[in-house]
Amino acid sequence: MALINSAAENNITFVRPAYFIISGFIGIPNIRYYFVFLCFIYILSVVGNTLVMIVITLDHMLRSPKYIAVFNLTFTDLLSSSALVPKVVDIFLFNHYYISYNDCLTFMFFSFTLYAMQAFNLVVLSFDRVMAIMYPLHYQMRVSHKLILSLIAFFWLLAITLTLIAVGLLTRLSFCQSVIIQSYYCDNGPMYRLGCNDATPNYIFAALAIVLVLGFPLAFIVGSYCCIGYSLSKISTFRERVKAFKTCTGHLSLVAIYFLSVIFVYAFGRVIHPNARIINLSIATVLPPMLNPIIYVLQTEEIKESLRRLEESQHTTKIEKSNLKVRINLA
């Protein structure tokens, strides 16, 4: 113990545990039913996001900048669900509570990067909508494939950089006391609070990351819709206003699902039971990737039209094959 204290005080070496214990759902009654619910959500998320990605890939009419952003959103949602849900189910359903130090940091890296990208994807889609409504005649000139791809690449780089810094700051901490993480995954906040040495840089960066990942996207989106509202107010007829606003309903639904759930958890997290907070936070994390493709299929006319075209094309192909077989038999 003297050696540990000396190392912590002099900041010469860092005490890194062989493993962490993730204790988020331990002790909650009937929690196995919740894991069944998580598996159901995960399956729907994989099927829904894969379907939207396939539709966008197959339909050449959906190669616009907007649907590049939608494709990236569904791709991120698919990776986000796959990085989180199977591991959480494995940890708590099969009692694999122990996770090695390096595996925990890797788990945190992928979870945080993909969660941040979900918010940044909404920023890209918001930018697309505000440009489409404010500059309808010059939209194709202003919003090019190259611009959207550049924005997406920038936000991927930003998300990865932020997460790498958070992980790097964790590696400078010594964990000489508890190794029990009070969360359902390797969460940055509960982890750096376990450190024995000064965690001030971790705390400051965590606050900065919240501003960049949640505050900036929300402020940009709110500002975008203020501009959209101003542009719509200048449209002469009510019918045209409604028609233009309908192009934003899908995106607004995604924004509401993502931000309202997170705001609820952080606003009431201190007054509700810790178990309830963990469950609410996990739902806020896994629900958006499942609901996003459903919303886009139900509220986006281009996606519905594309599905109809693909269905008709498949039906026509079957008829042609059937006619070909008939001709071969007659010959």
Side-chain angles (χ1 to χ4, degrees), residues 276-296:
R277 180 183 180 277
I278 290 173
I279 290 177
N280 288 333
L281 185 59
S282 65
I283 291 176
T285 306
V286 300
L287 268 185
M290 181 202 73
L291 293 176
N292 290 351
I294 296 174
I295 288 170
Y296 257 94

Side-chain angles (χ1 to χ4, degrees), residues 236-265:
S236 57
T237 64
F238 178 76
R239 181 177 295 181
E240 289 298 320
R241 292 178 193 171
V242 173
K243 183 179 178 181
F245 184 74
K246 277 186 176 180
T247 64
C248 302
T249 55
H251 178 256
L252 272 175
S253 301
L254 303 186
V255 171
I257 291 170
Y258 183 88
F259 285 102
L260 289 180
S261 56
V262 174
I263 290 171
F264 174 82
V265 170

Side-chain angles (χ1 to χ4, degrees), residues 49-316:
N49 285 294
T50 303
L51 176 63
V52 173
M53 291 169 64
I54 290 173
V55 169
I56 294 174
T57 303
L58 294 179
D59 194 340
H60 294 281
M61 302 290 290
L62 299 179
R63 299 294 173 84
S64 64
K66 172 186 174 181
Y67 284 100
I68 292 177
V70 173
F71 184 92
N72 188 61
L73 174 69
T74 56
F75 177 68
T76 304
D77 286 343
L78 180 61
L79 291 182
S80 178
S81 296
S82 299
L84 184 65
V85 177
K87 186 64 177 176
V88 170
V89 171
D90 176 64
I91 290 171
F92 294 103
L93 189 60
F94 300 104
N95 301 326
H96 296 156
Y97 305 123
Y98 293 80
I99 181 170
S100 70
Y101 179 87
N102 289 331
D103 287 348
C104 194
L105 294 183
T106 303
F107 186 19
M108 173 187 157
F109 170 78
F110 285 106
S111 299
F112 269 66
T113 299
L114 295 167
Y115 188 74
M117 269 309 299
Q118 289 178 348
F120 293 148
N121 283 327
L122 296 176
V123 171
V124 177
L125 288 169
S126 178
F127 171 77
D128 174 82
R129 288 300 83 207
V130 72
M131 296 299 288
I133 291 178
M134 291 188 67
Y135 308 101
L137 299 179
H138 303 93
Y139 169 74
Q140 293 184 344
M141 294 177 58
R142 291 173 179 265
V143 184
S144 62
H145 292 76
K146 182 180 179 180
L147 176 60
I148 293 297
L149 288 171
S150 298
L151 284 174
I152 291 171
F154 168 76
F155 282 126
W156 270 108
L157 183 62
L158 177 60
I160 291 171
T161 302
L162 290 174
T163 310
L164 282 176
I165 294 173
V167 172
L169 289 174
L170 281 175
T171 61
R172 56 169 289 281
L173 294 180
S174 291
F175 299 91
C176 50
Q177 296 177 2
S178 175
V179 293
I180 300 175
I181 300 174
Q182 300 290 337
S183 184
Y184 64 98
Y185 71 113
C186 294
D187 196 348
N188 182 47
M191 286 181 69
Y192 75 67
R193 293 188 189 98
L194 297 176
C196 300
N197 49 335
D198 184 21
T200 302
N202 302 73
Y203 176 81
I204 294 173
F205 184 77
L208 176 63
I210 290 174
V211 172
L212 292 175
V213 174
L214 295 177
F216 162 71
L218 184 59
F220 182 87
I221 292 168
V222 170
S224 297
Y225 276 97
C226 289
C227 296
I228 288 173
Y230 175 74
S231 297
L232 292 178
S233 66
K234 296 193 294 184
I235 298 177
S236 57
T237 64
F238 178 76
R239 181 177 295 181
E240 289 298 320
R241 292 178 193 171
V242 173
K243 183 179 178 181
F245 184 74
K246 277 186 176 180
T247 64
C248 302
T249 55
H251 178 256
L252 272 175
S253 301
L254 303 186
V255 171
I257 291 170
Y258 183 88
F259 285 102
L260 289 180
S261 56
V262 174
I263 290 171
F264 174 82
V265 170
Y266 283 102
F268 298 99
R270 296 182 181 274
V271 297
I272 61 178
H273 193 276
N275 289 343
R277 180 183 180 277
I278 290 173
I279 290 177
N280 288 333
L281 185 59
S282 65
I283 291 176
T285 306
V286 300
L287 268 185
M290 181 202 73
L291 293 176
N292 290 351
I294 296 174
I295 288 170
Y296 257 94
V297 170
L298 293 179
Q299 297 192 7
T300 307
E301 287 297 326
E302 294 96 332
I303 294 285
K304 290 190 282 189
E305 284 293 329
S306 178
L307 287 171
R308 281 193 286 267
R309 284 196 300 268
L310 290 174
E311 185 179 1
E312 290 173 0
S313 175
Q314 188 177 15
H315 182 65
T316 303

